[in-house]
Amino acid sequence: VARTASTVLVTGETGTGKEVIAKAIHHNSPRKAHRFVAVNCAALPETLLESELFGHVKGAFTGAVATRQGRFELANKGTLFLDEIGTMSLGLQTKLLRALQERAFERVGGNDTIKVDVRVIAATNAPLPKMISEGAFREDLYYRLNVFQVTLPPLRERREDIPLLIKHFVNKFAPEAPPTISQGAMRCMMAFNWPGNVRQLENAVERAVTMRG
């Protein structure tokens, strides 16, 4: 799918590596020479998120002292990664749907239509079909985003990856003198369910490397 321009929806629990997948798609695509721009939709309130995505004109709201480009414009010719898409309000979902359909939008407070060429990758740990049935997510937006879906299984369902990830993180945090992992420690780490997935495993390895005597 990286070689196409199709919109991708990456699903999986927190910490499974959804942004890593998004970056891998971008860096293996014809757009790799252009920007990869990421937005965490859960990190901003609706009013700020709209401005973050589409930009705003001077005077559009209190504090808008200058015209500002949004992430869609910054990602022109490249890839826009929308993380935690399930937290977006219904009103903003409508505006996002239009931007995806028309490849065009207006800045907040502006009247000029801006056209862009952006490949969108969205990610969520929320059950979007369930949210659709509850009226919390637009069905038409779901199908616009879910042209191609990549589902990341939790770490507990791919335990064979744990030794490889541990080795990678050990080398990352102690590149000059990577410590040896005992068989007992490896068995314990293989048996643990890792509710925080790869992010939690990375944290545990970094802490162990830091605290070793």
Side-chain angles (χ1 to χ4, degrees), residues 21 24 35 45 47 51 55 60 73 80 89 91-92 129 148 192 197 208-209:
I21 292 294
R35 287 185 177 183
T47 51
S51 173
E73 286 179 82
L80 178 63
S89 70
L92 197 48
F148 188 90
F192 189 58
N197 293 294
V209 169

Side-chain angles (χ1 to χ4, degrees), residues 9 11 42 89 104 111-113 127 136-137 154 171 180 185 189 192 196 205 210:
L9 179 64
T11 62
S89 70
N111 297 316
D112 294 334
T113 298
F137 200 84
N171 290 331
T180 301
M189 297 179 90
F192 189 58
V205 173
T210 302

Side-chain angles (χ1 to χ4, degrees), residues 178-190:
T180 301
I181 308 297
S182 69
Q183 290 185 352
M186 185 64 76
R187 281 196 295 269
C188 288
M189 297 179 90
M190 289 282 288

Side-chain angles (χ1 to χ4, degrees), residues 83-99:
D83 199 8
E84 303 295 350
I85 193 73
T87 63
M88 187 178 287
S89 70
L90 286 169
L92 197 48
Q93 287 177 34
T94 301
K95 295 177 181 179
L96 175 60
L97 177 64
R98 176 180 177 264

